[in-house]
Amino acid sequence: MHNAQYRVPLNAVRYLCRNVYRRPWYPHLVLAALILAGQRYDPVTIYSLVATLHSGLRGLFDSPLLAARLPNMGALTQAIDEALHLYLTEEISQPTRATRLQFYRRYQSVSRIEQRWLQSLPDDRRDSYRSWLLPPPNRLIHTPWLDFSTHERECKQRRKEETDALMPVYPELRSEAHLRWNWFSKFRQAYQHAPARTVNDSHPVEYEYADGTRRWHLRIWTAGMLMKDQPGLYDCRHQPPDTLCLLEVVGIIELPEHQQIDPNTALWFADILRHIDAPQSDAEAQAWRKSWGYVNSAFTTKHAELLASQYRQFVHAAQKTLQRPLLSIDALYSGLTFGLMAIDVFTTTGARLNEVMQISLSHECLVRLKMPAPDPISKNSSTPPIRYLLRTIPKGERKNQRHDYFIGTETKRLLARTAQMLAEHYRLEGDERLPSVPFYPLHRRAHRFGPAPYLFQLGNRHLSDQAIISCVRFLLHGMALRTTSGRIVTLRAHLLRHGFATHAVQVEKIPVDIVGA
């Protein structure tokens, strides 16, 4: 299996090494991945099967009910049907019903593939591999708990409820995102033009910023000043350099009444910053996440200087001590800019998240078209209209055939604005181009895309899908969505895609067949 077309995809290898190594089922999943690769299964399928099987097997082996029955993988051969029965009937583990059904379906699929592969081997080699295969389950025993049709109907109903909750605020998403970005951009400009500060200053720089009817009292700290002012911060791991600058929002006065406003309520993202880096044992942070429907990783980017400083523990401790918001301005600006760009593309083109990740400033992706003149008679006298489009490879496209997504003037302007932000980040001069970076390596479709000047990049690294949706949630936090039954709905890329289609058909009255195409 030295031929490249038979190799296990790199993201699956990394997943096995990072998450499965030293687990009892590690050699079993390695063999399963090799068999799938040898049969030319798509790399996305191999990665998905490996990840799903690992998650389900971990739930079985970590369950107290099965701890005595499953000391190793050899014991699973005798207890596979009992273990799956407890798993499917929700007596062990905590995943959703969808996760349970998905695990069973994929476990059975891989088991069948392995059994066919085993039968294709010579008789004298079968016994040496048999113990490393996943034991096949008896489907007849589990049929009463495998109602996939009911589950699919429930999923469709759930998506409909979430889309219905989104539609009343759908037209406001872009406008609210623009308003928030514009405000923060002006806020950042005032910060950049604040009085000069030096690393030798022993006191923070204070200044005021007037914004409409509000006057902001702001204070610029360096990490060195904060540590001198609060000696307890020396205990934080990953100490930042003394020159790291952070902005404290000291106070806000509402004019003309001169009423004091709490900074922790004036900024729409203040509560995120207060809870984003709190440990999982923090009951207040967990209650806050639950109240908004966020999971622990809702704002995780795994990217330095995106939304928050890379010295997050230090900043969290300092903010907790000051009891006021402490902002990493450039990290916030980068995250909000990426969030605005993503929201615009989601809500104007209906693109999927992996298609948004493919956006680059290369000639292959960003295309300028001269359209035919609208009036053939006046063709020579009128200037042909210019249209711009993004070309990406959509989900389900087996060939590397790019599909067109026409974009409007506003989207084109946002592309330029995001590129300008990146030029500042990389300190590019003149005609220097954005660096070409590899596609996010842990993405399931990473094998299909080579290095390119991707728009969603920072620090010479391509942004993950999780990082992009985290930026979207950060920018639109506070726009609470609830279904008619009161269930909280969190923003996801696929939900925005459903909202785009529904809005196009019901509000803009675009024919269904055109929206489908």
Side-chain angles (χ1 to χ4, degrees):
M1 292 188 182
H2 294 293
N3 194 309
Q5 65 179 331
Y6 297 116
R7 290 178 182 170
V8 177
L10 183 59
N11 56 356
V13 173
R14 287 174 172 167
Y15 184 90
L16 286 165
C17 294
R18 183 176 299 178
N19 301 288
V20 192
Y21 185 63
R22 297 188 185 280
R23 289 283 193 166
W25 51 89
Y26 174 71
H28 299 72
L29 293 193
V30 169
L31 180 57
L34 288 168
I35 292 172
L36 293 168
Q39 297 187 12
R40 302 188 187 184
Y41 275 79
D42 187 82
V44 173
T45 302
I46 297 174
Y47 176 86
S48 179
L49 288 171
V50 166
T52 303
L53 291 178
H54 167 64
S55 178
L57 289 170
R58 183 177 58 189
L60 296 180
F61 277 78
D62 292 349
S63 169
L65 290 177
L66 293 172
R69 296 291 309 277
L70 298 178
N72 51 52
M73 280 295 289
L76 186 64
T77 303
Q78 303 298 324
I80 181 62
D81 287 318
E82 177 190 353
L84 288 177
H85 176 77
L86 293 174
Y87 185 83
L88 290 172
T89 55
E90 304 183 13
E91 294 185 41
I92 62 173
S93 193
Q94 297 297 324
T96 62
R97 184 182 178 189
T99 302
R100 296 172 192 275
L101 292 174
Q102 182 186 55
F103 168 69
Y104 182 87
R105 176 180 279 172
R106 295 190 174 184
Y107 182 95
Q108 188 184 52
S109 175
V110 172
S111 177
R112 282 201 302 262
I113 293 168
E114 289 184 335
Q115 293 300 315
R116 287 198 299 266
W117 173 81
L118 185 68
Q119 294 304 315
S120 69
L121 296 178
D123 294 341
D124 59 339
R125 297 182 60 188
R126 291 178 187 172
D127 289 340
S128 59
Y129 284 103
R130 198 183 304 275
S131 61
W132 302 109
L133 302 182
L134 297 172
N138 186 341
R139 183 182 174 89
L140 294 177
I141 296 176
H142 310 294
T143 298
W145 292 273
L146 298 176
D147 190 354
F148 292 105
S149 59
T150 300
H151 168 65
E152 289 172 0
R153 286 196 301 271
E154 291 175 353
C155 289
K156 288 181 180 179
Q157 180 61 28
R158 185 184 181 93
R159 285 195 297 269
K160 183 180 183 305
E161 290 177 356
E162 292 179 346
T163 304
D164 291 343
L166 174 66
M167 295 321 296
V169 300
Y170 192 81
E172 302 172 19
L173 293 180
R174 278 205 308 275
S175 60
E176 185 65 21
H178 277 278
L179 286 172
R180 291 180 174 185
W181 187 93
N182 289 334
W183 176 85
F184 191 83
S185 178
K186 295 176 183 177
F187 188 77
R188 176 174 175 260
Q189 289 176 5
Y191 166 80
Q192 292 175 325
H193 292 94
R197 62 263 186 197
T198 65
V199 296
N200 295 321
D201 287 340
S202 57
H203 299 287
V205 173
E206 300 194 21
Y207 71 99
E208 290 190 346
Y209 167 64
D211 174 34
T213 61
R214 291 182 175 179
R215 187 167 70 242
W216 299 68
H217 180 199
L218 305 162
R219 184 180 293 151
I220 301 175
W221 293 87
T222 63
M225 295 175 196
L226 280 168
M227 285 187 283
K228 288 179 182 178
D229 188 70
Q230 303 291 338
L233 296 177
Y234 280 105
D235 297 333
C236 294
R237 293 185 305 167
H238 309 299
Q239 291 290 331
D242 288 347
T243 55
L244 175 71
C245 290
L246 298 165
L247 181 66
E248 177 191 2
V249 182
V250 180
I252 306 170
I253 297 177
E254 184 78 32
L255 301 175
E257 296 85 359
H258 292 276
Q259 181 182 357
Q260 291 283 348
I261 299 177
D262 184 0
N264 290 308
T265 61
L267 293 167
W268 82 86
F269 54 80
D271 54 350
I272 300 178
L273 297 181
R274 193 163 60 254
H275 298 109
I276 190 174
D277 295 313
Q280 294 189 15
S281 57
D282 189 324
E284 180 188 350
Q286 288 291 355
W288 175 82
R289 293 188 186 105
K290 185 177 181 180
S291 68
W292 285 98
Y294 294 139
V295 295
N296 291 332
S297 59
F299 297 101
T300 299
T301 65
K302 295 183 179 178
H303 216 100
E305 300 301 328
L306 182 62
L307 293 180
S309 169
Q310 61 179 312
Y311 304 99
R312 299 167 77 126
Q313 185 186 23
F314 172 86
V315 175
H316 178 73
Q319 181 173 249
K320 195 170 182 179
T321 301
L322 294 171
Q323 294 293 310
R324 286 188 287 265
L326 196 59
L327 315 181
S328 181
I329 293 295
D330 289 338
L332 283 169
Y333 180 71
S334 299
L336 295 178
T337 303
F338 285 132
L340 180 62
M341 183 75 252
I343 291 165
D344 184 88
V345 177
F346 286 139
T347 56
T348 59
T349 69
R352 296 179 179 89
L353 182 52
N354 74 80
E355 292 155 8
V356 171
M357 293 175 70
Q358 298 173 45
I359 297 175
S360 71
L361 300 184
S362 64
H363 295 299
E364 286 184 330
C365 180
L366 182 58
V367 180
R368 180 177 181 268
L369 290 181
K370 279 189 177 181
M371 307 298 290
D375 185 0
I377 298 177
S378 59
K379 184 174 182 179
N380 297 328
S381 59
S382 63
T383 303
I386 303 297
R387 291 293 305 273
Y388 287 85
L389 56 87
L390 298 171
R391 282 181 174 159
T392 63
I393 303 174
K395 176 183 176 182
E397 177 59 63
R398 294 188 176 274
K399 299 179 181 179
N400 288 335
Q401 179 66 41
R402 293 176 177 266
H403 291 218
D404 294 346
Y405 290 90
F406 281 91
I407 59 175
T409 304
E410 180 60 26
T411 304
K412 183 167 68 74
R413 188 173 67 84
L414 289 177
L415 288 169
R417 179 186 289 169
T418 307
Q420 182 182 0
M421 181 271 290
L422 290 173
E424 294 176 7
H425 170 74
Y426 287 115
R427 294 185 172 89
L428 303 181
E429 297 181 358
D431 296 332
E432 285 187 88
R433 297 184 177 181
L434 291 180
S436 290
V437 299
F439 198 86
Y440 180 61
L442 298 182
H443 192 271
R444 294 186 299 175
R445 302 182 72 207
H447 63 283
R448 302 193 66 174
F449 313 112
Y454 294 112
L455 193 71
F456 289 91
Q457 62 164 292
L458 201 68
N460 290 295
R461 288 174 52 211
H462 189 224
L463 267 61
S464 68
D465 45 358
Q466 174 64 38
I468 294 173
I469 201 62
S470 293
C471 293
V472 169
R473 287 175 179 153
F474 195 98
L475 183 55
L476 293 179
H477 173 68
M479 299 189 72
L481 302 178
R482 288 183 181 271
T483 64
T484 52
S485 61
R487 181 169 55 85
I488 300 171
V489 179
T490 55
L491 282 176
R492 304 186 310 279
H494 206 65
L495 177 60
L496 294 174
R497 175 176 165 81
H498 277 287
F500 166 81
T502 304
H503 186 266
V505 173
Q506 295 184 358
V507 179
E508 298 185 13
K509 305 301 181 183
I510 300 176
V512 175
D513 55 342
I514 294 178
V515 174

